[in-house]
Every structure is written in structure tokens, then in C-alpha cells.
Amino acid sequence: MRYSRIIGLGHHVPDKVITNDYLSTVMDTNDAWIVERTGIHERRWVDPAQDTVANMAAKATRMALERARLKETDIDFIVFATITPDYFFPGSGVLLQRELGLDGSIAALDIRNACSGFIYAVSIADQFIKTGMYKNVLVVGAEIQSTALDISTRGRNTAVIFGDGAGAVILQASDKPGVLSTHLHSDGRFAEELYIKDPGSSRPHSERQPDQILDTTTYKVVMNGNQVFKHAVVRFMEVIQEALDANKLRKEDINLLVPHQANLRISQYIQEKLALSDAQVYNNIMRYGNTTAASIPIALSEAWAEGKIKENDLICLAAFGSGFTWASALIRW
């Protein structure tokens, strides 16, 4: 039977470190307020003069390729997860293809599933490999949130949360089990609880013309934090248990849970409910904030580099975010 295995991981974050103390100089907030509510101490924000979603993704990809001992030309297919593409269109997948010097040689697929995007992308890559269509699939999550944030007291509830970065993995065909299963869900009834309305296409012609766009309120993140938290803690637990049940495994079998880095309080709640030790859960939101689709691959790459992932370990990935969407994956390393 044909399986897919992760054989290389990489990540990249911008150089600019934004501390809570810095944010307290541009909005009414402080380090204690932010840490208490989110667990975040600092995050990375891009320099728009040099950073793009595509070039950060390329740097993460080259790290993953080096660790996998592969070349750019070994990549058969790209699956790119982001909700902050460099252009409204085309998607950033083709821009990454260009950055890697693979012009015209392979296909690139973009998906927009926000915080769940990376697991959705892994699931897509897994299916393509299992069918025999591709051997080496590059899966990327990359985001630039900082340039759209309202850096003021009015926008502090979201401005203190989000960071920028990119993570990448290489999935390769194997006769040994790797990705055991993936589980994907959505519920569009709650789409407006966490969303950015514009630039949407369902507007009168006049509202989509540049000289008419004076009020940019609808271009900012809208988040009902209480609703998101309430749904997240339930869906995280459900989708993790679904993955374990599908593989006839128990929570005690998990060597490492790598959750989407949305809020340290959510991760701690899940850890408590699953009765996992600190060594069984990997969090790096303290350093990077919420990097949306990039959060899991960045955390996975760092966890592997720190020796927290070993051969034959059972790794669980889980995410919840805008849509609402949620997903999990069980991986035998």
C-alpha cells in the first residue's frame, strides 16, 4: 500500500521582533494584559520592503529540502495554504513556484482555509500521493497579517494576536505508514464570527473602485473572541478524538500534540482535558503569536529541530479557525 511520509520540515520568520512592551507605546495595552489573555510575549512582523508571502515560503521550503536531502527540481506539486496572498490573484503558489525556479514545470494549488489551512493542505497532498499521481509534494503555510492590522487601541484585540511567518513540509511516497488519517470539517453558519469582509466581490460596482474606497473599516479583521474560544475548545477535542478513534488509538498513545497556535489558553485547556504532560504538547505562540496557516508547520519544524519528534512517534496535529473550519491529522513519524 502507498503512504505519504513527512521527510523534511522548514520554517522562516521575519527578523523584526514586536514585543508587548512596544505595542504598549502605540495602543492602550500592556505586557501583563496580553500575556494573561493570549500567552503571547512577542511576535514577528515583516519588513514590506523585503518580505513577501512567497519569498518567506521559499526560505522555509529550502530549509525543508535541505533537511530532506532533495533539490527544488524533485518537487512534483505544490499545495499552498494562505489567506494573505501577495496578490488578490493569482495565488501565491505560482509565485513560490517562480521563487524556486520551477517555472512551467509543475502545478501549484492554493487553498484558503485560514487556521486549518495547513492540515487541509496535508490532507490534499496525502490523497495525491496515495493515488500514485505524485511522489514528492511540497506543502506550505505562510502568512503576512501585520500589514492589515489596526495598530491602535481600537484594533488591539486582534493586533496583539497575529504574527507573520512561513512553514513548509515535504511529503514523499512510502511503503511505510506516515500520515495515518486526516479529518476535515466546516460550519459556515459562523463565517462572520471571524472574517475580513473586503476586498470581496459581492459589492456594487462603485464600492470596488479605488477612488471610492475611503472607509477601510471592512478591510479589518472582525473577531468575536468569545464565540471563537467557545467553539474552538469543543471542536479541538472532537477532532482529536475522531482521529484517535479512526486509528483505534488512545490519547495516551500521543507522543506530541502540535495544535494551531491560536491562543495559549486554548492549548492549555486541551492539554488539561486530554491529561497530556507539558512534554506531550508543543507551543511556540509565546514567541510568534498566531501565524494562521503557518503556525503548525513552524511549530512542527521547531519541535523536530529541538529533538522532540523521533522515529515511530505518534504526532497529532489539530486546528480550528475562520469558517468555522477545523481539522486533525495523525502521523506516524
Side-chain angles (χ1 to χ4, degrees), residues 268-311:
Q268 290 171 334
Y269 177 89
I270 297 162
Q271 177 179 344
E272 180 182 351
K273 290 298 182 182
L274 291 173
L276 299 176
S277 69
D278 289 346
Q280 289 175 285
V281 183
Y282 190 85
N283 291 300
N284 63 1
I285 191 172
M286 305 79 72
R287 299 189 297 277
Y288 302 129
N290 180 344
T291 55
T292 320
S295 79
I296 289 178
I298 292 174
L300 200 58
S301 176
E302 286 200 328
W304 179 85
E306 293 169 17
K308 298 182 184 297
I309 299 176
K310 301 177 178 62
E311 188 173 357

Side-chain angles (χ1 to χ4, degrees), residues 7-321:
I7 62 164
L9 310 97
H11 67 280
H12 175 80
V13 293
D15 294 331
K16 187 191 298 183
V17 178
I18 303 296
T19 65
N20 293 345
D21 288 337
Y22 166 76
L23 291 179
S24 71
T25 68
V26 293
M27 63 182 71
D28 182 13
T29 191
N30 58 69
D31 178 70
W33 188 89
I34 297 170
V35 172
E36 179 185 354
R37 286 161 178 77
T38 68
I40 300 167
H41 292 267
E42 61 186 40
R43 70 289 293 147
R44 303 297 183 94
W45 286 357
V46 297
D47 175 354
Q50 66 180 25
D51 299 311
T52 69
V53 171
N55 72 28
M56 289 196 302
K59 291 172 183 176
T61 296
R62 291 190 176 103
M63 180 186 289
L65 287 169
E66 181 178 354
R67 288 171 168 176
R69 296 185 176 87
L70 295 177
K71 306 183 298 297
E72 286 88 342
T73 51
D74 291 318
I75 298 170
D76 301 317
F77 187 51
I78 297 170
V79 188
F80 200 124
T82 184
I83 54 169
T84 58
D86 292 310
Y87 303 138
F88 187 65
F89 68 85
S92 289
V94 295
L95 304 182
L96 174 58
Q97 179 202 47
R98 181 173 66 189
E99 291 273 352
L100 297 174
L102 300 173
D103 306 358
S105 58
I106 63 171
L109 174 67
D110 291 78
I111 63 170
R112 295 173 52 85
N113 289 87
C115 302
S116 304
F118 179 75
I119 299 179
Y120 268 72
V122 167
S123 183
I124 291 167
D126 182 47
Q127 311 313 315
F128 273 115
I129 288 174
K130 283 178 177 175
T131 65
M133 188 167 183
Y134 297 119
K135 179 183 178 183
N136 296 313
V137 179
L138 168 63
V139 178
V140 174
E143 307 281 5
I144 293 178
Q145 299 284 7
S146 61
T147 53
L149 297 175
D150 182 352
I151 314 298
S152 71
T153 299
R154 180 182 61 181
R156 68 178 177 178
N157 286 341
T158 52
V160 302
I161 294 172
F162 291 100
D164 306 331
V169 301
I170 310 293
L171 270 72
Q172 186 176 79
S174 173
D175 57 2
K176 293 177 57 180
V179 177
L180 302 180
S181 65
T182 55
H183 307 270
L184 315 177
H185 298 276
S186 65
D187 192 339
R189 292 176 299 170
F190 303 98
E192 287 77 25
E193 302 294 346
L194 177 53
Y195 82 127
I196 295 179
K197 184 176 181 179
D198 285 308
S201 61
S202 301
R203 310 286 179 272
H205 182 269
S206 61
E207 292 183 15
R208 296 192 71 194
Q209 303 310 301
D211 58 350
Q212 300 295 321
I213 301 175
L214 302 177
D215 179 4
T216 60
T217 303
T218 58
Y219 288 74
K220 307 301 182 186
V221 177
V222 174
M223 180 173 68
N224 183 337
N226 289 335
Q227 276 281 67
V228 172
F229 188 96
K230 182 176 71 173
H231 284 264
V233 293
V234 172
R235 298 307 192 184
F236 262 111
M237 293 297 299
E238 287 179 350
V239 81
I240 292 170
Q241 191 60 52
E242 179 184 5
L244 292 169
D245 291 345
N247 294 279
K248 296 181 173 56
L249 294 167
R250 304 168 303 155
K251 62 185 182 180
E252 292 81 9
D253 296 317
I254 296 173
N255 294 106
L256 191 67
L257 170 65
V258 183
H260 163 57
Q261 306 293 297
N263 185 309
L264 186 60
R265 308 308 164 215
I266 294 176
S267 296
Q268 290 171 334
Y269 177 89
I270 297 162
Q271 177 179 344
E272 180 182 351
K273 290 298 182 182
L274 291 173
L276 299 176
S277 69
D278 289 346
Q280 289 175 285
V281 183
Y282 190 85
N283 291 300
N284 63 1
I285 191 172
M286 305 79 72
R287 299 189 297 277
Y288 302 129
N290 180 344
T291 55
T292 320
S295 79
I296 289 178
I298 292 174
L300 200 58
S301 176
E302 286 200 328
W304 179 85
E306 293 169 17
K308 298 182 184 297
I309 299 176
K310 301 177 178 62
E311 188 173 357
N312 207 43
D313 277 357
L314 183 69
I315 310 301
C316 182
L317 313 180
F320 175 90

